[in-house]
Amino acid sequence: MLALLARTTGGDLLLAEDVLQQAIIAALEQWPDRGMPDAPVGWLVRTGRNKAIDHIRRRATWDRKAARLLAEEAAVAPPPELSDAAIPDERLRLICTCCHPALALDAQVGLTLRTVCGLTTDEIARVFLLDPRALAQRLVRAQRKIRDAGIPYEVPGPDALPARLQAVLHVVYLVFTEGYAATAGDALVRGDLCDEALRLGELLVAQVPDQGEVHGLLALMLLQDARRDTRTDAHGRPVLLADQDRSRWDRRRIALGMAALGAALRRGPPGPTTLQAAIAAEHARAPTAEATDWAGIVQLYALLLQAAPSPVVRLNHAAAVAEAQGAAAGLLLLDGLDEDPHLARGHLLPAARAELLRRLGRGEEAADAYRQALDRVGNGPERAWLTARLVEVEGE
Amino acid sequence: MQYLLLIYSNEADGQTMTDAERGAFMDDYRTFTQRIVASGEFKAGDALHPVATATSVRVRDGQTLLTDGPFAETREQLGGYYLVDAENLDRAVEIASQIPSAKHGTIEVRPIMVWDTQA
């Protein structure tokens, strides 16, 4: 509904929210007496739209933009007896505006969750452990920028769409990983985030079916989500991919993910998201951890390193090489990553090194690396896991 | 909508250019300007003298205070601007990305405020 009203207000989300609220108040006043209309959503949208048009008319600055919007609005306005099913899907337009690269990334995520997914500011603040008032201010600031800087309320043309979709996919995946990573916050809301991200992924597939990366993202999220319940044990501690109970992986999600991956691969050379989905598919396909096609995964990581090189991809590539060609080969690749400033601060690199050193029987060096990782790790479960591993190698 | 495209770049870069490089750079600017004049989006545009010629003015307690140079030391200095009339931010960003200085400096895109005349 907000998306439809935002169309009337020319992307002014503040005004759209305002008139939607007014329409809901009008409904609360009128429906008890007159009965609920046949198409309640259509009624709300129509009422909100009329209020928005009134507002634009009243607005003192009768500028060119308002006049043009009203002219366009008159051209696209639906007939008064619109059935709910016939309401056009405006959500792609809305999500493209919310994920505009001229907005800060956290504002893109927040706006998408609130305006496209319908989460409240309080819910979003709880998930990201932010002060609700500070978040509300950030979102209002972003909405003002959309209005005042002339961020277009439209789906970009065919030339600009692939690049802009990358920004949209990034935001959707960020929503998913925030729900998926058991770092902190309200667990219930976090699970909902995965579902919201999946819904957004399905929406994008329906709206822009010709873009391979859109299918790739849905595939990636489905294949990872299939493992959601097996990623932690009863005490919330992380369970490694190799140790997860594969019989509890969600087969239906895997099948849907495989189908989405197939759709992505049929639409041309795979982009970075599709390659990540292909890697997730290799894991999902393996009946046991030992049966994993690590040589195939190494090849996919090599392609991913060409498409989207990043320190984390290099780290994962090294881990895959260690599985395919032995711990020593993997360790050699890790040595090249020391200079990266991002990895130098985090716990991932020493944790990966510790694991490979342990496999090579170099217990003392492994213990040092585990200690280094422990110095840098933040949250509870991962800390507990690293500590357990340290105790293990110290005992060997 | 109107946007002011503020061109920030390192003045020292300009001083190290050879005559041939400078000539090619100015040609790029001429081509760019002609293109947005032809599209009807150009409203105004100028280059500025280096910041060494700048004077900062402040009035405090009724006293006008002048300082030599810009207010703050920064790596990139304001060197010129374009005022354009673009359909929306996407188009303004597209124009900004074609300014020759965008390749080594920074273009700040600022929407021009429309005053509410009846307020």
Side-chain angles (χ1 to χ4, degrees):
Chain A
M1 279 189 281
L2 200 56
L4 282 163
L5 291 171
R7 170 113 194 227
T8 304
T9 63
D12 183 343
L13 295 178
L14 287 173
L15 178 57
E17 279 186 357
D18 193 41
V19 296
L20 178 57
Q21 213 151 30
Q22 288 177 34
I24 291 168
I25 291 168
L28 290 173
E29 284 168 2
Q30 295 178 22
W31 292 0
D33 292 339
R34 301 184 201 170
M36 201 201 264
D38 293 335
V41 176
W43 189 94
L44 285 171
V45 169
R46 204 163 53 246
T47 307
R49 179 179 279 135
N50 289 339
K51 289 187 186 296
I53 293 172
D54 282 352
H55 180 92
I56 295 171
R57 283 216 178 95
R58 277 199 308 270
R59 213 182 259 170
T61 320
W62 183 256
D63 57 15
R64 212 157 35 93
K65 188 182 168 195
R68 199 188 66 217
L69 282 171
L70 279 175
E72 278 177 14
E73 174 58 29
V76 298
E81 289 313 314
L82 181 73
S83 79
D84 281 2
I87 291 174
D89 201 327
E90 289 280 332
R91 285 175 299 175
L92 181 63
R93 197 190 292 260
L94 189 60
I95 195 173
C96 282
T97 303
C98 290
C99 299
H100 197 282
L103 300 171
L105 189 60
D106 55 349
Q108 294 179 33
V109 171
L111 276 184
T112 302
L113 285 174
R114 202 174 68 179
T115 59
V116 186
C117 304
L119 265 62
T120 66
T121 306
D122 277 350
E123 283 170 333
I124 301 166
R126 225 180 314 146
V127 176
F128 293 97
L129 303 174
L130 296 168
D131 172 23
R133 274 168 312 177
L135 175 67
Q137 269 172 8
R138 283 201 66 99
L139 295 186
V140 167
R141 219 177 297 141
Q143 285 171 313
R144 280 201 194 116
K145 181 169 181 183
I146 291 175
R147 182 188 67 196
D148 296 339
I151 288 180
Y153 186 59
E154 64 188 27
V155 177
D159 291 347
L161 188 62
R164 284 287 301 282
L165 270 179
Q166 281 302 328
V168 173
L169 297 183
H170 184 62
V171 166
V172 175
Y173 192 53
L174 215 65
V175 170
F176 179 81
T177 50
E178 197 58 44
Y180 191 63
T183 45
D186 191 321
L188 204 68
V189 179
R190 286 180 166 265
D192 286 351
L193 274 190
C194 289
D195 295 338
E196 289 299 342
L198 282 166
R199 256 196 290 276
L200 286 170
E202 283 163 4
L203 163 72
L204 288 172
V205 161
Q207 299 269 332
V208 272
D210 57 326
Q211 300 284 329
E213 283 286 88
V214 168
H215 293 271
L217 177 70
L218 184 60
L220 176 61
M221 294 192 296
L222 283 166
L223 291 168
Q224 289 189 330
D225 200 55
R227 308 200 292 256
R228 200 202 297 182
D229 294 340
T230 63
R231 287 176 69 249
T232 48
D233 66 14
H235 307 286
R237 286 176 300 216
V239 179
L240 287 185
L241 186 57
D243 303 329
Q244 289 172 11
D245 177 0
R246 292 179 187 230
S247 68
R248 284 171 57 220
W249 285 0
D250 185 335
R251 291 290 142 196
R252 198 182 135 264
R253 291 233 146 139
I254 290 176
L256 288 171
M258 292 292 186
L261 177 60
L265 292 172
R266 279 195 297 279
R267 283 166 175 82
T273 316
T274 304
L275 287 169
Q276 288 181 68
I279 292 166
E282 286 296 341
H283 291 300
R285 204 174 276 141
T288 62
E290 293 71 35
T292 308
D293 177 9
W294 284 107
I297 291 176
V298 167
Q299 282 176 353
L300 289 168
Y301 269 119
L303 288 173
L304 187 55
L305 273 176
Q306 283 172 17
S310 84
V312 175
V313 173
R314 287 178 68 192
L315 189 69
N316 288 329
H317 176 243
V321 166
E323 297 293 342
Q325 298 159 27
L331 207 53
L332 212 61
L333 287 172
L334 287 185
D335 285 341
L337 286 168
D338 279 330
E339 292 118 62
D340 182 79
H342 179 71
L343 288 178
R345 281 195 302 272
H347 71 281
L348 291 174
L349 182 57
R353 178 172 286 132
E355 169 66 18
L356 296 186
L357 287 166
R358 188 184 64 82
R359 285 192 210 173
L360 290 168
R362 290 156 67 176
E364 263 177 51
E365 289 167 86
D368 281 345
Y370 277 125
R371 280 186 211 106
Q372 200 181 11
L374 277 165
D375 278 346
R376 298 175 184 174
V377 76
N379 83 73
E382 277 190 305
R383 166 164 293 279
W385 186 83
L386 286 167
T387 309
R389 279 293 157 107
L390 174 60
V391 171
E392 217 173 279
V393 291
E394 278 176 334
E396 273 169 13
Chain B
M1 277 183 74
Q2 292 201 355
Y3 295 87
L4 191 62
L5 313 181
L6 298 154
I7 303 163
Y8 289 89
S9 58
N10 192 333
E11 287 178 357
D13 287 350
Q15 284 152 12
T16 57
M17 275 186 191
T18 65
D19 284 350
E21 283 169 343
R22 200 185 314 275
F25 189 60
M26 295 315 289
D27 280 346
D28 287 347
Y29 259 101
R30 252 188 299 279
T31 311
F32 165 74
T33 309
Q34 280 163 3
R35 205 161 47 218
I36 56 168
V37 168
S39 72
E41 292 164 310
F42 175 90
K43 291 287 153 205
D46 287 291
L48 304 178
H49 280 293
V51 278
T53 64
T55 307
S56 297
V57 182
R58 268 160 285 172
V59 178
R60 298 288 182 274
D61 302 321
Q63 295 278 325
T64 302
L65 306 167
L66 300 187
T67 328
D68 179 32
F71 184 70
E73 277 295 322
T74 47
R75 206 177 58 79
E76 293 185 328
Q77 296 82 29
L78 181 63
Y81 72 92
Y82 282 95
L83 178 64
V84 297
D85 194 349
E87 194 199 344
N88 54 41
L89 183 66
D90 282 356
R91 176 59 190 154
V93 166
E94 198 178 333
I95 296 172
S97 68
Q98 291 163 5
I99 295 178
S101 294
K103 287 201 187 80
H104 51 86
T106 308
I107 315 296
E108 184 176 324
V109 179
R110 296 283 293 270
I112 299 285
M113 200 182 267
V114 180
W115 293 102
D116 188 337
T117 47
Q118 291 185 5

